[in-house]
Amino acid sequence: MLLLTGGAAQASTRPVLLVMGDSLSAAYGIEQQAGWVSLLQARLDGKAQVVNASISGETSSGAAARLPDLLGQHEPDIVVLELGGNDGLRGLPPGQFEANMATMVEASQASGAEVLLLGIDIPPNYGRAYRDAFTAVYTRLAEEYELPLVPFLLEGVALEEELMQSDGIHPTAAAQPRILENVWPRLAPLLEANGAVVAESAQD
């Protein structure tokens, strides 16, 4: 787990943002500072405290088990859930994935945090029916819990060969600014609502 913060003395005056993700948010295969979460921290320039609790290989069940302690430790104002890729690649039933995510949403909201969902897709070889059922989980959760949703985190990235690592799954460092731009329009209003003065159209 990586804690990105500019000083504990300021923490009480800034909103706390907790990112619960997998390798897509843990900067797998690239320098940590090049990842989109680190780019977000740089963009915020001290206006919020960013806690990146993302772990490569993380699943929704693993994150759900870790989340209560993290909520108690960091008392976040915003929780970003970027999970599902490893569940999908393992063929987890969509219903179980949805139950795990719902548990995290409810725990986050019960702690007083707002939640942002970041959706993903899985490779075509898993079949259209499974992919549709899996990606529909994000939309259903967003509607049920009235959450902001980024439908596809890797929009404009996943189909661009030069923006993907050789495994075809993980984005390159060059893709990270685009990923942040995909997240920013949904995240900025939450930051503003929690006291961080940011421009929704801010650019790096």
Side-chain angles (χ1 to χ4, degrees):
M1 182 180 69
L2 174 66
L3 174 61
L4 301 171
T5 178
Q10 301 177 19
S12 61
T13 63
R14 300 175 296 165
V16 177
L17 172 68
L18 174 65
V19 182
M20 296 293 294
D22 51 33
S23 56
L24 298 179
S25 297
Y28 176 88
I30 60 177
E31 293 294 329
Q32 188 72 47
Q33 63 268 26
W36 77 265
V37 180
S38 292
L39 296 181
L40 170 64
Q41 173 71 10
R43 172 177 290 191
L44 290 173
D45 192 26
K47 295 181 177 71
Q49 179 185 357
V50 180
V51 180
N52 191 358
S54 303
I55 299 176
S56 292
E58 184 65 289
T59 61
S60 60
S61 61
R66 292 193 297 124
L67 182 59
D69 285 344
L70 290 166
L71 292 174
Q73 179 181 355
H74 299 290
E75 300 182 348
D77 300 286
I78 302 166
V79 175
V80 177
L81 296 179
E82 179 278 299
L83 294 155
N86 293 304
D87 295 281
L89 293 176
R90 297 179 186 190
L92 186 75
Q96 184 58 57
F97 170 55
E98 184 168 359
N100 293 339
M101 294 292 286
T103 295
M104 285 185 281
V105 170
E106 291 175 5
S108 298
Q109 291 182 332
S111 77
E114 297 186 79
V115 178
L116 170 62
L117 285 181
L118 306 183
I120 57 89
D121 199 354
I122 51 179
N125 58 297
Y126 281 75
R128 172 54 61 184
Y130 181 73
R131 290 178 71 197
D132 287 350
F134 197 87
T135 55
V137 168
Y138 298 102
T139 303
R140 197 156 49 243
L141 288 169
E143 292 176 350
E144 180 178 352
Y145 294 98
E146 299 182 344
L147 308 175
L149 167 66
V150 176
F152 184 35
L153 180 63
L154 300 185
E155 183 69 37
V157 172
L159 299 181
E160 303 297 328
E161 186 175 347
E162 69 276 11
L163 295 180
M164 299 297 290
Q165 297 181 39
S166 59
D167 61 10
I169 296 175
H170 297 97
T172 63
Q176 302 301 311
R178 176 58 188 265
I179 295 173
L180 176 56
E181 292 309 322
N182 290 342
V183 174
W184 186 254
R186 295 292 182 267
L187 178 59
L190 297 180
L191 290 164
E192 289 272 9
N194 284 278
V197 180
V198 298
E200 291 189 35
S201 59
Q203 298 293 316
D204 290 326

